[in-house]
Amino acid sequence: MEQGRTLTPDVLDLASFYAERLGGVAQGLVGAKLAALWPRVTGDRVLGLGYATPYLAPFLPHAERVLNFMPAAQGVMNWPSEGGNLAALVADDELPLTDSSIDRILVIHCLETASNARETLRELWRVLVPGGKIVIVVPNRRGIWARVERTPFGYGRPFSRRQLATLLRNTEFSETAWSGALFAPPFSSRLLIQNGRAWERAGEMLWPGFAGVQIVEATKLVYQGLPARSRRRHQPAFRPALAPPG
């Protein structure tokens, strides 16, 4: 494996990407798929795991609660810019939440760099309510974005649809919807950026297997519980990448 692909983009790299034109296009195209899956979150408790803040902002006015947990290797920054902080640094396989406490979970910029993706999903299964929904966005193994390290989708382990489906079924999730996004190549060309949605429409019709990211929605199954596992105690060693001012 190439050395660069084993690294995890930190929170500053991710924030920088989404502040650029290409990152803004990616946010719009992936966010449109998320909005189609979750048109209403009124009264729901929503959790993002990974660098999910660009995609969680539309839920803030409607959800009962919105949180973003960022893995320890990634780092954390305050979010949102106004009001109380809703972001925290966590171990992605030991979340500081009670069982069945979250209605919806968005996982992005996380699973592909997790040290143990199965354990991360088991932990998400634990905190999700029975019948709760999870959306996972990961780099597509067949897509161009997984091969270009100038974006955060070029790091970690990309997934094929079969690999992701197997992982979900092994952790007691059932897929309810599949889609893809980012069919255009990840270049900052003005022509590509201005025609991003046209690329999406063409890609979905002509080369659906080559999306830049796989997007899957799944629901928590409860007919067979996951085995209990001992919970280890963490030392309070995490430090934020950007501390709050003052």
Side-chain angles (χ1 to χ4, degrees):
M1 182 178 291
E2 301 163 10
Q3 183 179 3
R5 296 183 64 82
T6 65
L7 301 176
T8 300
D10 67 28
V11 69
L12 300 179
D13 295 329
L14 289 157
S16 177
F17 169 72
Y18 281 104
E20 298 171 355
R21 289 190 303 173
L22 183 60
V25 171
Q27 177 184 343
L29 296 176
V30 175
K33 295 298 180 70
L34 181 59
L37 289 170
W38 292 351
R40 292 178 55 85
V41 297
T42 304
D44 287 343
R45 293 156 293 181
V46 180
L47 171 68
L49 183 62
Y51 191 78
T53 55
Y55 304 97
L56 293 175
F59 300 141
L60 285 172
H62 310 290
E64 176 191 317
R65 184 172 304 171
V66 179
L67 299 171
N68 190 189
F69 287 169
M70 300 184 186
Q74 190 176 94
V76 68
M77 61 172 54
N78 282 5
W79 177 81
S81 58
E82 298 180 358
N85 179 49
L86 301 175
L89 197 66
V90 301
D92 57 13
D93 59 352
E94 291 280 342
L95 302 180
L97 295 169
T98 58
D99 295 356
S100 301
S101 57
I102 299 294
D103 299 294
R104 298 175 186 267
I105 300 175
L106 170 63
V107 183
I108 186 168
H109 301 305
C110 175
L111 202 64
E112 65 270 23
T113 56
S115 58
N116 189 321
R118 186 173 185 272
E119 290 298 307
T120 297
L121 282 178
R122 288 182 59 179
E123 183 67 352
L124 294 172
W125 186 96
R126 180 185 69 81
V127 304
L128 196 62
V129 300
K133 300 290 188 179
I134 183 171
V135 167
I136 299 172
V137 182
V138 291
N140 179 15
R141 179 172 291 278
R142 299 175 67 187
I144 298 175
W145 289 66
R147 293 167 170 77
V148 179
E149 294 180 8
R150 69 169 60 94
T151 86
F153 297 105
Y155 288 79
R157 173 196 174 190
F159 287 83
S160 68
R161 176 165 172 165
R162 177 176 294 182
Q163 289 170 333
L164 189 53
T166 299
L167 185 60
L168 286 166
R169 292 164 191 166
N170 287 344
T171 48
E172 306 301 333
F173 287 101
S174 175
E175 313 104 273
T176 56
W178 287 90
S179 61
L182 309 184
F183 289 91
F187 304 137
S188 298
S189 160
R190 184 179 299 275
L191 179 63
L192 291 177
I193 288 174
Q194 290 177 342
N195 294 278
R197 295 193 182 279
W199 273 95
E200 293 294 286
R201 291 191 294 270
E204 286 179 314
M205 291 187 297
L206 301 177
W207 54 89
F210 294 92
V213 294
Q214 301 265 11
I215 303 174
V216 59
E217 182 191 56
T219 188
K220 174 179 176 175
L221 300 178
V222 294
Y223 61 82
Q224 179 181 352
L226 293 174
R229 56 194 176 107
S230 61
R231 301 182 66 79
R232 58 187 182 274
R233 300 177 68 87
H234 289 288
Q235 297 298 320
F238 293 158
R239 295 290 184 271
L242 293 180

